[in-house]
Amino acid sequence: MDRDAPVTPTLTVLGELVVDLLPVPGADAGPEGTAPHYVARPGGNALNVAVAAGRLGTRVALLARLGTGPMAPALRRHAELSGVDVAGMVAASEPVSLAVVGLGPDGSPDYGFHVLGAADWQWTDEELAAVLPEGTAVLHVGSISSWTPPGCEAIARLAERLAGSGLVSVDPNVRPMLAGGPVGAALGNDRDAVRARLDRLVAVADVVKVSAEDLAWLEPDTHDLDDAAQRWAARGPALVLLTDGGAPLRIARPGRPLLHRSPPPVTVVDTVGAGDSLAAGLFAGLLGAGVTGRGELEGLSDDDLLAVVDDAALVAALNCTRVGADPPTAAELAAAREQRVAGAG
């Protein structure tokens, strides 16, 4: 091994693994209508982002606590099949998290979670120090593990240590059932605590992806999404992407005009994993453009950034044409991009 050889920049994704139970479209619920049919699929924000990035050919490592249960090997294998480095998966004695998913008429998901005492919330400083890959250029944290104790404290300390040495990305991905109310309280969460934990992460973030749904919970009085995107960019990140379902993306950078970008139209099967696919597409594009630090991100022209965002939006759109979190490969993205350019011509 050549110790002087340059280390390939790595996207490191840190977060939870979740088994998603998705309803089978058109499946009979049985004569009494009380036993809907579900299929178990690997999921969770971190796993979805890592898999999507791996399929796009990005060097990606997944840091996750792999709990017990019959689906645990499938979660690991799902990541491996997409080229994800799973050396950072920590064997844990707690159970794997489970989400039962319902789908609305527009394909939007509704979640019922079974996560009390799960492996994902138990990170320690020692565990993270032992598995953080060399060459981490982007650290992406977010979703439930980033604001649920006790592990969220270790995650925040890691983000603070890495700030300035690479890009730190944060996605709140708020799940109201787990962030407040009786279930949230059982996990150690309430609105004020979750806000404070996310404020701590955003303070050191270079990139933030936040949804209109997140804002509706975090800032109930917010009605102007343009203003919200610019306010969040003023909090410290170099780039804020504000998503709003099928509505235009808002792209905010400190001291620059707000940009809007419409996602490509597709026939939506469901939107499970769409935001995670968007994030992965963004990271793949940034690393592909040689952006591995804040200075390079700030120096990116609007045109170059919009090209990256357009690709990321296309990755998310392609994911929405399939059941569950099933992002495209690099070849599928390239074919869709060519088709889109040909259609525009």
Side-chain angles (χ1 to χ4, degrees):
M1 178 179 176
D2 183 358
R3 296 184 181 276
D4 295 326
V7 178
T8 303
T10 298
L11 164 63
T12 298
V13 183
L14 167 58
E16 63 264 16
L17 304 172
V18 180
V19 175
D20 288 337
L21 291 184
L22 289 160
V24 178
D28 188 0
E32 298 175 355
T34 57
H37 293 194
Y38 290 89
V39 60
R41 292 183 178 270
N45 173 265
L47 182 60
N48 291 344
V49 172
V51 164
R55 291 185 183 180
L56 294 173
T58 301
R59 183 180 177 87
V60 56
L62 175 60
L63 309 188
R65 302 185 86 253
L66 184 61
T68 60
M71 279 297 292
L75 291 168
R76 182 186 184 95
R77 184 62 177 155
H78 182 61
E80 290 175 330
L81 288 173
S82 295
V84 176
D85 180 354
V86 297
M89 280 192 174
V90 175
S93 59
E94 302 88 2
V96 168
S97 296
L98 175 68
V100 182
V101 184
L103 297 176
D106 60 352
S108 60
D110 178 31
Y111 294 94
F113 290 99
H114 303 267
V115 296
L116 293 180
D120 306 283
W121 332 129
Q122 317 303 328
W123 280 108
T124 65
D125 294 306
E126 293 75 19
E127 284 177 335
L128 288 173
V131 297
L132 182 70
E134 183 182 3
T136 294
V138 180
L139 173 70
H140 176 67
V141 302
S143 198
I144 309 161
S145 58
S146 70
W147 38 261
T148 294
C152 63
E153 295 299 316
I155 291 173
R157 286 190 288 267
L158 177 62
E160 289 166 346
R161 287 196 299 274
L162 290 184
S165 63
L167 293 174
V168 174
S169 169
V170 175
D171 179 359
N173 201 27
V174 175
R175 301 302 186 199
M177 179 187 292
L178 304 183
V183 178
L187 285 168
N189 293 328
D190 60 40
R191 192 184 297 268
D192 289 341
V194 169
R195 282 174 173 162
R197 292 162 189 158
L198 285 171
D199 285 347
R200 182 178 177 185
L201 290 172
V202 172
V204 297
D206 302 290
V207 178
V208 172
K209 186 188 78 65
V210 62
S211 70
E213 289 180 337
D214 292 335
L215 286 174
W217 192 88
L218 291 166
E219 302 177 357
D221 294 331
T222 294
H223 302 291
D224 186 336
L225 294 182
D226 284 0
D227 176 69
Q230 292 175 311
R231 280 193 295 102
W232 276 59
R235 293 170 63 180
L239 173 64
V240 172
L241 287 187
L242 198 164
T243 65
D244 187 18
L249 286 163
R250 290 164 172 86
I251 305 154
R253 307 169 84 182
R256 303 197 189 192
L258 182 70
L259 303 174
H260 296 83
R261 215 61 170 177
S262 295
V266 293
T267 300
V268 174
V269 174
D270 67 51
T271 62
V272 176
D276 304 331
S277 294
L278 177 77
L282 175 70
F283 303 140
L286 291 176
L287 290 175
V291 176
T292 59
R294 187 176 181 108
E296 294 154 337
L297 178 58
E298 291 174 336
L300 207 60
S301 70
D302 285 350
D303 286 344
D304 287 342
L305 176 59
L306 288 175
V308 171
V309 171
D310 283 346
D311 258 10
L314 186 54
V315 172
L318 292 172
N319 178 86
C320 292
T321 65
R322 305 168 176 178
V323 175
D326 186 10
T329 63
E332 290 170 329
L333 173 62
R337 188 191 302 120
E338 290 178 7
Q339 184 177 10
R340 192 178 182 196
V341 170

